[in-house]
Amino acid sequence: MSDSKTPMAMGALLMDQGTTLMVQGTTLMVQGTTSDAGKSTLVAALCRIFKKRGISVAPFKPQNMALNSAVTIDGGEIGRAQALQAQAAGLQPHTDMNPILIKPTSDTKAQIIVQGKAITDMDAAVYHDYKTRAMEFVLDSYQRLQAQYRIIVVEGAGSPAEINLRDRDIANMGFAEAVDCPVILIADIDRGGVFAHLVGTLELLSESERARVIGFVINRFRGDMGLLQSGLDWLEQKTGKPVLGVIPYLHGLYLDAEDALTNNARKANAKLRVAVLALPRISNHTDFDALRLHAEIDFGWVGPNQTIPGCDLLIIPGSKNVRADLQFLCEQGWDTQIQKHLRYGGKVIGICGGFQMLGEQIHDPLGIESVPGSSAGLGYLAITTQLEAHKQLQQCRGFLWDSRSAVVGYEIHCGISQGPALENPACYLYREQQLVADGAISGDGQILGTYVHGIFDHPDALGSLLAWAGLQGAEVLSIDVEREASIERLAAEVEAALSADFLSNWCRP
């Protein structure tokens, strides 16, 4: 593999502005030949590598489309991957790290979140026209980060070679051109066709865009490197670009996913069986990573046209369109299957939108998530929810109903729930040095609802909730410890795989 080039000079022209964007640090962008090529993980790895070498570094993604989001220290929301990358950089997540977040509410419409705050819903055509304005917010956030950190590692979105998205692009080469930053192109060899992906993507770029690609990274390689070398030599000769590294396939790595639902292999010796409804607009499914990774839990998703299996615990997750997903739930026949699950003594947890579905009514008079109207809930908890324009966004800390099991997490919801069921709360949260009740537990103790995302993340809460569901004395698992260990392992593997010259160029004092 050839040595990398030195980082290109900063200081470029703002798009359509005619003024120079002044920067104080250095910027490196990672773009992929496809979605899920490894952009997020490479950015996280680079953030940790630079941090460990004593360099102040921050992640940045101009535009993200994901239903998995995180609440930031400044009270906004960003893509989950950027929160993970912030942890890799040793930082608290901030809204400037992902200034534009798109959260689909239907196949044709999405909520647009700008610098952490939801502004409106738009369809694709309207958002395309809005992108010129969105770029101003992108550059505003970018400039603030540039003033604070030595290196900004930027993650692109999808592929830069999507011809239909090139006009007014703010996510890939449009951004790279605006700030004049170098680009690494990463491709997933496990998919097959890696050389076609890299050469084809490069061919579809403009001359100036091709010039800023400083090299390739090949991701998820398994096998004999000796058998790959001839292909790497051909790629470098064909394109004139160096291969900066080949990252091995890393089994058992835990990193927060942006959208993909991951099923574990069945665990023959599991002591508790957990099923989660895979709703069409499921949000924040990382809520269940602590369950999915637990050695004593057989975890599975229940998808369209599937019957809810026999299980100890059934979970209704959050949703970006609660009434539409509730309708889908009933169309699948899951409402009657939930009744059967409860008759056989199973437990049910509803989180955020799932909590709202467990109530008696959901009202959306303003059409916040879909057309204005009301829907009857499943009727298991005596609450009524009304969706309001103002979104609740806050990090949470408190304890479960048992008064001893610590809870950490976050809230992201538009609904306000009221009703007598709230008099038997699921947990208590600290709010400005006061305790406030959250959620509800049914009178028979079989059903629990909460607005807290991440309620399984703290080991204390996880243990108590598993005991409530039927698993006494569960093994201790901390999702934060698992995540940190995975970041460390990822960074070590990537550092070993990348060109030493490339890293030394970027880690100069």
Side-chain angles (χ1 to χ4, degrees):
M1 290 181 288
S2 302
D3 295 337
S4 69
K5 300 176 183 177
T6 57
M8 70 173 60
M10 296 293 103
L13 225 55
L14 275 173
M15 294 177 62
D16 303 321
Q17 299 267 333
T19 57
T20 300
L21 177 62
M22 302 302 297
V23 296
Q24 297 180 21
T26 303
T27 300
L28 175 64
M29 189 169 192
V30 175
Q31 298 182 17
T33 57
T34 61
S35 294
D36 198 33
K39 298 183 293 293
S40 296
T41 53
L42 181 55
V43 169
L46 289 170
C47 284
R48 178 54 59 92
I49 290 167
F50 293 146
K51 174 184 179 293
K52 293 184 77 169
R53 295 193 180 199
I55 297 170
S56 67
V57 58
F60 183 72
K61 184 159 186 170
Q63 173 187 286
N64 198 351
M65 179 180 287
L67 287 177
N68 269 355
S69 58
V71 174
T72 63
I73 192 171
D74 55 327
E77 59 180 315
I78 62 174
R80 193 80 194 172
Q82 281 60 67
L84 171 78
Q85 292 158 0
Q87 180 175 339
L91 304 173
Q92 288 287 336
H94 192 280
T95 52
D96 280 338
M97 295 173 183
N98 177 206
I100 304 295
L101 176 60
I102 302 172
K103 302 183 79 171
T105 56
S106 69
D107 292 340
T108 59
K109 209 167 186 180
Q111 184 180 66
I112 308 302
I113 295 165
V114 176
Q115 293 178 330
K117 303 299 182 186
I119 57 167
T120 188
D121 283 8
M122 297 183 187
D123 61 28
V126 172
Y127 179 70
H128 181 72
D129 292 337
Y130 180 77
K131 283 195 290 187
T132 301
R133 174 66 174 143
M135 183 58 130
E136 297 176 12
F137 294 110
V138 165
L139 294 176
D140 176 56
S141 288
Y142 168 75
Q143 285 178 291
R144 274 196 294 271
L145 291 179
Q146 274 283 348
Q148 299 174 67
Y149 301 98
R150 161 102 176 279
I151 295 180
I152 308 298
V153 187
V154 184
E155 179 187 343
S159 163
E162 302 290 349
I163 303 303
N164 58 311
L165 300 177
R166 296 289 297 277
D167 181 36
R168 307 182 200 184
D169 169 50
I170 68 173
N172 289 300
M173 284 299 179
F175 174 81
E177 295 267 77
V179 302
D180 191 21
C181 72
V183 171
I184 294 174
L185 197 59
I186 186 170
D188 179 5
I189 196 170
D190 197 53
R191 293 171 179 260
V194 69
F195 299 110
H197 285 172
L198 289 166
V199 174
T201 299
L202 207 62
E203 181 65 25
L204 290 172
L205 301 179
S206 70
E207 183 177 351
S208 64
E209 292 168 348
R210 282 195 296 271
R212 68 180 59 258
V213 175
I214 60 172
F216 308 122
V217 169
I218 293 177
N219 190 27
R220 298 191 182 106
F221 175 73
R222 38 185 159 188
D224 184 347
M225 272 293 296
L227 298 177
L228 183 63
Q229 190 59 52
S230 62
L232 303 181
D233 294 340
W234 175 89
L235 181 63
E236 293 188 338
Q237 183 178 11
K238 173 73 174 178
T239 64
K241 307 285 186 183
V243 177
L244 302 176
V246 178
I247 302 172
Y249 196 107
L250 300 177
H251 294 276
L253 198 68
Y254 166 62
L255 298 170
D256 303 60
E258 284 194 320
D259 281 307
L261 300 181
T262 304
N263 255 324
N264 280 11
R266 295 297 300 272
K267 300 172 185 173
N269 298 320
K271 298 177 181 177
L272 191 81
R273 192 171 186 191
V274 177
V276 181
L277 301 183
L279 302 171
R281 296 162 189 86
I282 184 174
S283 63
N284 298 85
H285 61 73
T286 49
D287 286 345
F288 315 115
D289 285 350
L291 302 177
R292 187 173 58 83
L293 297 176
H294 200 286
E296 297 178 292
I297 294 176
D298 183 16
F299 177 93
W301 300 99
V302 184
N305 303 315
Q306 293 181 333
T307 300
I308 296 175
C311 58
D312 303 291
L313 174 61
L314 175 67
I315 301 177
I316 308 175
S319 166
K320 194 64 191 73
N321 192 325
V322 178
R323 291 173 57 226
D325 275 352
L326 176 58
Q327 180 180 345
F328 175 85
L329 181 155
C330 295
E331 289 171 349
Q332 296 294 308
W334 291 343
D335 51 345
T336 57
Q337 293 170 36
I338 292 171
Q339 293 175 7
K340 179 180 178 181
H341 169 79
L342 290 168
R343 283 200 306 272
Y344 280 84
K347 299 294 181 69
V348 173
I349 292 179
I351 297 179
C352 199
F355 172 39
Q356 296 170 356
M357 293 181 198
L358 290 171
E360 296 173 339
Q361 291 285 328
I362 302 170
H363 303 297
D364 188 4
L366 302 178
I368 300 298
E369 293 185 343
S370 57
V371 295
S374 298
S375 298
L378 298 174
Y380 292 113
L381 295 174
I383 62 168
T384 297
T385 300
Q386 179 159 318
L387 304 186
E388 298 183 349
H390 177 69
K391 184 183 288 190
Q392 304 291 318
L393 287 167
Q394 47 202 336
Q395 297 180 345
C396 303
R397 187 170 295 276
F399 50 85
L400 291 180
W401 71 92
D402 61 9
S403 300
R404 66 178 186 275
S405 302
V407 167
V408 294
Y410 56 98
E411 290 184 45
I412 302 178
H413 60 94
C414 294
I416 302 297
S417 298
Q418 296 178 321
L422 302 179
E423 295 174 6
N424 189 26
C427 56
Y428 296 88
L429 306 175
Y430 296 108
R431 289 280 185 272
E432 298 179 355
Q433 299 182 333
Q434 292 184 337
L435 277 179
V436 297
D438 168 81
I441 300 177
S442 62
D444 60 9
Q446 277 190 270
I447 299 170
L448 183 152
T450 178
Y451 272 118
V452 178
H453 289 286
I455 195 165
F456 299 106
D457 287 0
H458 195 287
D460 291 351
L462 176 62
S464 294
L465 289 167
L466 292 181
W468 172 81
L471 178 56
Q472 302 293 330
E475 292 182 10
V476 175
L477 184 145
S478 169
I479 203 67
D480 287 337
V481 171
E482 296 285 334
R483 185 185 294 113
E484 183 64 22
S486 288
I487 292 172
E488 280 287 299
R489 179 185 164 208
L490 172 69
E493 294 278 6
V494 171
E495 187 169 19
L498 289 179
S499 158
D501 286 347
F502 165 78
L503 288 174
S504 64
N505 282 333
W506 282 88
C507 294
R508 288 174 179 167

